[in-house]
């Protein structure tokens, strides 16, 4: 986050933004109209230029910039007094070195400074976790742990980051998709080969 924050349409922070992006999506979806504004400053804007996704967002017009808090409140339709209170609180917590109500600590070095930047965000399905139980050959298991006949699962059918949103490790969506896909394909071919062999050679 490097000092960046999220506020809802009331201009209030609602979470420790240092959480993972999976659990953060659920927190955004719990806000009025399921919307949040990502607020940051020129320092973060410059470092984000390294990311193609961010450059694309900028080209699409999603990135807004404002010379002051007053301009930002007016431009985003947020209540100025609440937004000012949100920024004042961050400053006070950084000075006192205390954690906020969500457990986040602010550092004076990273406090947001004008010009400010903003992007409107919501939550969306990114990957799935949990899913079907599979064995080492990607065969789907029943509740007794026995392989169901002729049924394999790969990809999002079997996430490997645990069963809830807080466990996601970046890259594990494609990891399970690619690796389990390869394992399932090979296992299915071996099973078919075995069946054909036993049909020909009883
Ligand atoms: C924006 C975004 C960014 C991501 N970035 C990353 C990342 O950086 N690293 C990472 O590890 N993961 C990332 N993920 C997650 C990752 O892409 C998924 O976890 C992964 O693609 C799941 O693979 P899958 O094969 O299970 O499902 P999918 O990739 O969704 O494939 C399912 C396929 O089935 C097809 N299909 C659906 N229904 C039918 C039907 N009835 N008949 C025939 N075909 C059907 C679909 O068209 C699709 O092609 C990202 C996801 C998103 C949305």
């Amino acid at each position: 986050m490097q000092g960046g924050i999220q506020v809802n349409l009331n201009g209030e922070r609602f979470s420790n933004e240092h959480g993972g992006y999976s659990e953060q999506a659920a927190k955004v979806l719990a806000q009025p109209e399921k919307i949040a504004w990502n607020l940051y400053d020129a320092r973060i804007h410059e470092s984000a230029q390294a990311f193609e996704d961010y450059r694309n967002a900028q080209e699409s017009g999603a990135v807004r910039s404002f010379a002051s808090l007053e301009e930002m409140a007016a431009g985003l339709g947020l209540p100025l007094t609440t937004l000012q209170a949100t920024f004042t609180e961050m400053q006070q917590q950084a000075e006192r070195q205390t954690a906020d109500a969500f457990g986040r600590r602010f550092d004076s070095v990273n406090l947001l400074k004008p010009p400010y930047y903003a992007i409107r965000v919501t939550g969306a399905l990114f990957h799935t976790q949990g899913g079907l139980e599979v064995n080492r050959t990607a065969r789907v298991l029943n509740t007794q742990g026995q392989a169901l006949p002729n049924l394999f699962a790969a990809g999002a059918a079997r996430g490997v980051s645990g069963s809830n949103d807080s466990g996601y490790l970046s890259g594990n969506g494609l990891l399970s998709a690619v690796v389990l896909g390869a394992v399932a394909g090979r296992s299915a071919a071996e099973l078919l080969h075995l069946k054909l062999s036993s049909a020909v050679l009883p």
Side-chain angles (χ1 to χ4, degrees), residues 125-127 155-156 168 171-174 177:
L125 183 64
F126 178 72
H127 65 280
Y168 184 69
N172 274 358
L174 292 175

Side-chain angles (χ1 to χ4, degrees), residues 75-152:
L76 303 183
L78 300 175
L80 176 60
T81 44
T82 318
L83 198 61
Q84 281 171 329
T86 297
F87 274 66
T88 303
E89 199 186 330
M90 288 190 294
Q91 193 171 358
Q92 288 171 343
Q93 263 140 12
E95 283 163 8
R96 292 183 204 134
Q97 288 291 292
T98 50
D100 66 13
F102 312 108
R104 180 170 170 182
R105 288 178 182 274
F106 287 91
D107 188 336
S108 329
V109 178
N110 281 345
L111 283 176
L112 301 181
K113 299 178 188 69
Y116 299 109
Y117 285 75
I119 298 188
R120 193 174 189 262
V121 295
T122 186
L125 183 64
F126 178 72
H127 65 280
T128 56
Q129 290 178 204
L132 302 167
E133 288 298 330
V134 292
N135 65 13
R136 291 167 64 91
T137 58
R139 291 187 68 167
V140 179
L141 304 178
N142 66 17
T143 49
Q144 280 80 48
Q146 295 150 339
L148 290 163
N150 305 326
L151 187 60
F152 297 84

